[in-house]
Amino acid sequence: MLSSLVKVLKIMRIYLLLPALLLSFLLYGSDGYELWLNYQLIENQEIRDEYASAFSFIVADTDEAVVGTAVAELQKGFSGLLGATVDVGPTRGKKNGIYLGLRGQSARIDEYLKLNEVPEVGPEGYHLAFHNGDVLVLAEAAKGLLYGTFDLLRTLQQQVPLAALKRTERPAYTHRILNHWDNLDGTVERGYAGFSIWNWHQLPGFIDQRYIDYARANASIGINGTVVTNVNANALVFRDDYLDKAAALADVFRPYGIKLYLTARFSSPMELGGLATADPLDPEVIAWWKAKVAEIYRRIPDFGGFLVKANSEGQPGPREYGRSHAEGANLLADALAPHGGLVMWRAFVYTDKEGGDRFKEAYDEFTPLDGTFRDNVLVQIKNGPIDFQPREPVSPLFAAMPQTPLLLELQITKEYLGQGTHLVGLANMYEEILETDLHPQEDGGKVRQLVAGIAGVSNIGTARNWTGNLFGQADWYAVGRLSWSPELNAKQIFKEWAGLTFGRQETVVNTVNQMLTLSYPACVNYMTPLGLHHIMATGHHYGPGPWVNDLGRADWNPYYYHGATADSIGFDRTQSGNDALGQYPPAYARQFRDPTTCPPEFLLWFHRLPWDYPLASGNTLWRELALRYQQGVEQVAEIQTLWASLEPYIDAGRFHHVRQHLNIQYQEAQWWRDACLAYFSHASGRQLPPGVPAPAETLERYRAISHPYAPGIRPQW
Ligand code: GCW
């Protein structure tokens, strides 16, 4: 009697709660802070009942901190999704619950394992199952329970029936890392979402709730490491007080299974230690790093290690002492090895002397070093050979260092990609990169099979919604999901993100997916069609600047990369040019050698061609270029229309936010088209084809546009 009264009251409570919650959501909407973790009450009563009956209590058979995090997350999830509180520990009278347990340590889990074969899941994997009315999260180590929990909650958010729950998940990579280009002064290099979320000045005393929410968001998508400082590094971070600050961050991240890494400025022994040299073979330098690393581990026992940018864009490095990148990396690796730390040594190098084509430099510098790095060194390679361009062929280095573990560096922030305002679903680009098969005639040659992990350059800042542009969240989400499951395709990720972020109505999910799918080709079209690259304005790289040709060094100039004359355009990287193509495995390079087989999107990366060169589309090169610029603008208009159709489904706050950014994107797409076509039409002496409107302004006006305060620029540049 009493128990049925309680039941009725409980049901009533949910009913009373439902309209109130929905109403407040519609009125105030969401500001995006909760990311993809907005545990909205499930409206479907049947599903809610099904879930509620299986989740009466939570039993966790281990007391490690990450499991505490998992339990708290489940409680939060259930209270949002089901409007119910769930007890921790078996509750008398309640039949079914959720069990988080380790193989061999939990009776309930072992009982299941007697009946079901579950493969080894490794240190971070897990198995999810629905068994006799209970939900089981099974792992070999505590971290697996955390990831299993987030997966379970994602499943519930998507309202999947519990009966379907039976799967094993293991991350493809051990290294799933974010790189922050955040400076100690609070600015973010190439950051378009406000300032750094790390308040170094107030650390370690003040722990911002954001640090915790940041760790939680990352854990939910499988990220297990973060480099909190800029690769253009500051030795100050190794000073005692800053190490205390870093340790405070590491303490926040630990219960979320995230390791803290720092960037190491190669000249730190001089700047901080007062030594006369930073030569990696100098005994005093070796001793300095050993002592410094030991000091770090005293504060941060699970410290991840160092990320290093050396001898690149003015950063100090071993080359100054006639030493190789391997000698530099090994110096740090030897200091870190006794503590289990790693060195991530970047291959984004180009010398400060004017040399040849930057395309070739990393390969030339690093391939001779293959096999000479210590075991705890990973070489971190940007996806493309130049620099995060809207569309690049993949770096040839991925296929050229078989004896060295490699990390793929992807951009999440959007330097060269519309910065803070453009909606560009980068999962499209990530998929293209990961699926590129550099050894098409053998197995195992896809980029995703050649690397040991992913490092994503963060787009996070103090913006209330973390990424400034709301859709930037999808790129952060994608990097996490791909670093766990690199074989996921963009469409799966877009749909998953859309459902978690905006709700799972089919119209919303499909439309958001369409927008994101269209957005990457749109951006490439209105910025750099047919393989144009590096034609952005100087310094901040905001907006077009294909005409720029007066910078100190030839290869800093956009003009260097397209060399447009009255006759032709493009960079000859075939054998008749500088043969950069020779750096790729021949079976892969073959398609690019001949302009008739080269995929049009990479054409001007590898070929210098006359403007009237006939393309397979039936258009001349000039006509195709102009039409693609126009198509890019039209695709943005299409994205605007798609978003407008979602007005009835999206809360006013987020709807308006995205609409305003799309309006800016549309104007800027026109700016890109008009400015570039004004310039190329002038250079080629050709008229625009029908269907492409005349530029709104003169070329002189476009050239005169300046944005001295565009965000994200490196202060000293
Ligand atoms: O793309 C360039 C950026 C620099 C950046 C550099 C790098 C952190 O313009 O701002 O520096 O790449 O990746 O090191």
Side-chain angles (χ1 to χ4, degrees), residues 307-330:
L307 170 65
V308 188
K309 170 175 177 179
N311 295 117
S312 170
E313 299 185 330
Q315 292 301 300
R319 300 272 312 257
E320 280 153 49
Y321 309 94
R323 315 294 184 199
S324 72
H325 281 282
E327 285 169 312
N330 292 344

Side-chain angles (χ1 to χ4, degrees), residues 43 63 180 316 329 417 701:
E43 290 164 43
D63 56 7
H180 287 262
L417 276 155
R701 291 287 287 273

Side-chain angles (χ1 to χ4, degrees), residues 527-689:
M527 284 188 184
T528 52
L530 294 181
L532 285 172
H533 49 286
H534 222 304
I535 57 169
M536 287 72 188
T538 305
H540 46 63
H541 300 148
Y542 172 64
W547 46 79
V548 175
N549 197 19
D550 58 358
L551 304 179
R553 175 177 153 161
D555 63 340
W556 284 345
N557 290 294
Y559 185 79
Y560 173 88
Y561 295 94
H562 62 76
T565 61
D567 306 320
S568 52
I569 180 169
F571 202 124
D572 185 359
R573 292 190 170 103
T574 67
Q575 267 164 342
S576 58
N578 73 2
D579 199 24
L581 266 176
Q583 296 185 333
Y584 289 101
Y588 174 74
R590 193 170 307 133
Q591 59 179 323
F592 296 107
R593 291 200 180 283
D594 180 342
T596 62
T597 57
C598 183
E601 53 273 25
F602 297 116
L603 199 58
L604 300 176
W605 273 98
F606 296 113
H607 297 279
R608 181 159 188 87
L609 297 167
W611 290 106
D612 293 325
Y613 180 81
L615 297 177
S617 64
N619 292 323
T620 63
L621 174 61
W622 163 246
R623 193 181 155 90
E624 182 77 23
L625 192 80
L627 291 177
R628 288 203 182 205
Y629 270 110
Q630 172 61 15
Q631 190 188 13
V633 174
E634 286 167 11
Q635 286 167 319
V636 177
E638 212 177 320
I639 295 170
Q640 286 181 298
T641 308
L642 286 166
W643 183 248
S645 75
L646 291 183
E647 186 160 13
Y649 305 94
I650 309 277
D651 53 286
R654 288 188 299 181
F655 181 78
H656 190 55
H657 170 103
V658 173
R659 186 170 52 188
Q660 292 187 84
H661 276 149
L662 286 175
N663 290 345
I664 299 177
Q665 182 171 6
Y666 184 67
Q667 284 159 12
E668 294 191 351
Q670 289 178 308
W671 171 32
W672 267 95
R673 176 198 62 195
D674 289 355
C676 290
L677 288 180
Y679 169 73
F680 288 125
S681 137
H682 174 78
S684 67
R686 280 165 172 74
Q687 299 294 314
L688 290 173

Side-chain angles (χ1 to χ4, degrees), residues 36-231:
W36 45 86
L37 293 167
N38 65 11
Y39 298 129
Q40 290 292 309
L41 189 72
I42 296 173
E43 290 164 43
N44 184 320
Q45 176 74 44
E46 250 172 67
I47 298 188
R48 227 168 47 223
D49 287 349
E50 183 203 339
Y51 287 172
S53 65
F55 300 126
S56 311
F57 55 84
I58 306 167
V59 174
D61 281 335
T62 144
D63 56 7
E64 284 189 51
V66 282
V67 180
T69 307
V71 170
E73 191 66 29
L74 283 172
Q75 289 179 297
K76 193 178 171 85
F78 294 151
S79 92
L81 293 164
L82 311 178
T85 48
V86 178
D87 302 319
V88 179
T91 314
R92 238 186 320 149
K94 290 185 178 173
K95 252 185 36 237
N96 291 115
I98 161 161
Y99 288 83
L100 305 179
L102 301 181
R103 200 194 282 267
Q105 291 184 32
S106 147
R108 185 72 188 85
I109 295 290
D110 289 347
E111 186 190 311
Y112 171 79
L113 286 170
K114 271 193 214 131
L115 304 170
N116 295 275
E117 193 131 332
V118 176
E120 297 271 310
V121 296
E124 296 181 299
Y126 56 86
H127 177 82
L128 291 181
F130 184 57
H131 184 68
N132 289 345
D134 291 326
V135 172
L136 309 181
V137 185
L138 175 177
E140 258 115 50
K143 268 184 82 180
L145 299 179
L146 178 65
Y147 294 129
T149 293
F150 277 113
D151 186 352
L152 175 64
L153 284 163
R154 200 157 50 226
T155 309
L156 304 189
Q157 276 174 286
Q158 291 167 314
Q159 302 182 23
V160 177
L162 287 178
L165 206 61
K166 185 165 188 163
R167 65 169 172 275
T168 303
E169 282 280 341
R170 251 178 253 97
Y173 304 130
T174 317
H175 309 291
R176 308 183 300 276
I177 298 176
L178 281 193
N179 289 185
H180 287 262
W181 287 356
D182 293 20
N183 300 311
L184 298 181
D185 66 3
T187 55
V188 181
E189 183 160 345
R190 311 311 179 186
Y192 312 105
F195 287 86
S196 172
I197 58 171
W198 319 125
N199 187 337
W200 290 97
H201 186 65
Q202 293 189 11
L203 278 165
F206 187 79
I207 299 297
D208 194 321
Q209 177 63 33
R210 257 192 194 249
Y211 305 160
I212 301 162
D213 296 336
Y214 162 89
R216 172 175 168 247
N218 279 323
S220 77
I221 50 174
I223 302 276
N224 67 357
T226 181
V227 188
V228 293
T229 47
N230 189 357
V231 288

